Amino acid sequence: MKINRKIYIVLCLLVGTLFLASGFGKAMNAGRFGNLIAQYGFPFLQNAAPVIILAEILTGICLVLFIRTKWMAAASAAMLVVFTGAYTYGYFVNHISDCGCFGSMNAGISGPWFTFGRNILLIIASVLIWLCAPTETSKEALWKKILVMVALLPMIFLTGYTFRTPVAFWEGKMRHEWENMAVRNTPVVEHIDISPDSTYIILFMSYDCFHCWNSVANFRQVRESGIVDHTAAFMQTGDTTRMAAGLQDAGRQQFIRTFGDDIVSAEIGYNDELREHITRWPTYVYVKNDTIRLVVEGELPSSLTFERMFLHD
């Protein structure tokens, strides 16, 4: 099959650039992408998040530089099929609407049907590249190999760093719709009584999210440190598929055996309005004077770090 050379070049650059943007956006917060994989319903693949991110970046670089385009097009089509299948499962079974496609660079245009349509078009583009790519028998130019290594090495470091580092360190104070909003105007008011002259840290978690588990020790420390007047932790539940399989109860029991039964204040069901606003786990909320001052998607830092980062004023 043959298409116009210019169209072939445009398709390679288009697919490659989108893969680069997607991989780089996820690399800025690999831990959050790992959490999203668990929310899709695949917690056993959380630790594969850095590998997936680097595979996207490598594929994007090779397509943009026209390195082994036939192989890279096949790789991009395969990844897109897997990503679309995982998102379909997460959306229809676990009711996760956030595709997390571009990680921290998400432009906000990420509705489910937009995501499905975009992925289908990219799969078609990848297949066209694969069909039209010339047979490559010669070795790649040395400068291309060097450029790939120069581009990939910092991405390896960045991905490894952000996979274990709380989001707050990397992204700072990310704006959330609740920030500077009175608690009474949010669904939080349905779950906790807020005193107008007190401060609170509220942590939202999931039983099968290892970043949530990593937050527990810091949650205890914050609770005992006295940097805020009150703390509360809410655990998301309501995944009917996992409930039917007994996985959710097993996760709950394992959590209690590990941390005790004094952490979770209450569980949040699937139909709870909170689930429309808290879409990533863990997320913590800081409340002062009956107003939400801060919402951060990521692991809760230690009491000292939290105080230095957010209470210095």
Side-chain angles (χ1 to χ4, degrees):
M1 180 178 178
K2 291 185 178 181
I3 58 175
N4 185 284
R5 173 72 178 173
K6 291 182 180 179
I7 296 177
Y8 166 74
I9 292 174
V10 169
L11 289 177
C12 286
L13 292 176
L14 175 64
V15 177
T17 301
L18 287 174
F19 263 78
L20 277 173
S22 175
F24 182 71
K26 294 185 182 81
M28 290 175 65
N29 196 329
R32 188 164 69 181
F33 178 57
N35 289 342
L36 192 60
I37 292 174
Q39 292 174 45
Y40 278 175
F42 311 104
F44 55 91
L45 291 177
Q46 267 186 299
N47 289 326
V51 177
I52 296 171
I53 293 169
L54 292 174
E56 283 190 86
I57 294 172
L58 179 60
T59 300
I61 293 172
C62 290
L63 284 172
V64 168
L65 295 177
F66 301 98
I67 298 173
R68 297 287 187 263
T69 53
K70 198 173 188 71
W71 288 99
M72 292 302 108
S76 65
M79 280 190 280
L80 285 163
V81 169
V82 172
F83 293 162
T84 305
Y87 179 68
T88 301
Y89 179 84
Y91 179 70
F92 287 105
V93 177
N94 293 328
H95 311 286
I96 303 298
S97 59
D98 177 17
C99 76
C101 303
F102 293 92
S104 299
M105 294 173 61
N106 192 341
I109 308 175
S110 55
W113 301 114
F114 176 86
T115 299
F116 287 131
R118 180 193 58 212
N119 284 8
I120 290 171
L121 290 175
L122 287 173
I123 291 170
I124 293 172
S126 297
V127 171
L128 287 174
I129 295 171
W130 181 79
L131 290 173
C132 303
T135 303
E136 297 160 336
T137 55
S138 60
K139 294 183 178 180
E140 299 298 337
L142 180 60
W143 70 269
K144 287 188 177 182
K145 295 179 181 178
I146 294 174
L147 189 55
V148 170
M149 293 302 296
V150 169
L152 199 57
L153 284 175
M155 290 298 100
I156 293 173
F157 170 79
L158 178 62
T159 302
Y161 178 74
T162 61
F163 188 60
R164 294 297 180 185
T165 302
V167 61
F169 284 110
W170 186 253
E171 295 179 347
K173 299 181 180 181
M174 295 296 290
R175 183 78 176 175
H176 187 277
E177 59 181 316
W178 284 352
E179 288 192 15
N180 298 319
M181 184 180 292
V183 176
R184 64 178 178 276
N185 295 328
T186 72
V188 175
V189 73
E190 301 295 330
H191 297 273
I192 184 171
D193 294 326
I194 300 293
S195 175
D197 58 352
S198 298
T199 56
Y200 299 77
I201 286 180
I202 306 170
L203 179 63
F204 297 93
M205 299 187 290
S206 168
Y207 285 120
D208 55 10
C209 158
F210 75 82
H211 284 278
C212 299
W213 287 42
N214 289 344
S215 296
V216 173
N218 287 338
F219 178 77
R220 273 209 179 97
Q221 187 186 71
V222 167
R223 185 171 62 184
E224 296 167 2
S225 68
I227 63 170
V228 293
D229 300 316
H230 306 281
T231 59
F234 295 100
M235 196 69 74
Q236 69 131 342
T237 61
D239 180 342
T240 55
T241 301
R242 292 179 61 79
M243 288 175 66
L247 298 176
Q248 189 164 265
D249 188 59
R252 180 188 294 110
Q253 295 304 317
Q254 180 63 36
F255 184 91
I256 293 174
R257 284 195 297 269
T258 304
F259 301 110
D261 58 3
D262 64 331
I263 298 296
V264 179
S265 304
E267 293 184 339
I268 303 170
Y270 166 68
N271 292 322
D272 197 295
E273 189 180 353
L274 274 172
R275 294 286 294 272
E276 298 178 10
H277 305 274
I278 303 296
T279 59
R280 289 171 175 152
W281 316 88
T283 291
Y284 57 93
V285 175
Y286 172 60
V287 178
K288 181 180 180 181
N289 297 336
D290 199 27
T291 301
I292 294 176
R293 303 295 185 183
L294 177 73
V295 181
V296 177
E297 297 171 339
E299 292 180 16
L300 178 68
S302 68
S303 57
L304 178 61
T305 302
F306 184 88
E307 189 171 20
R308 287 180 176 177
M309 290 175 64
F310 302 121
L311 304 185
H312 51 77
D313 55 350

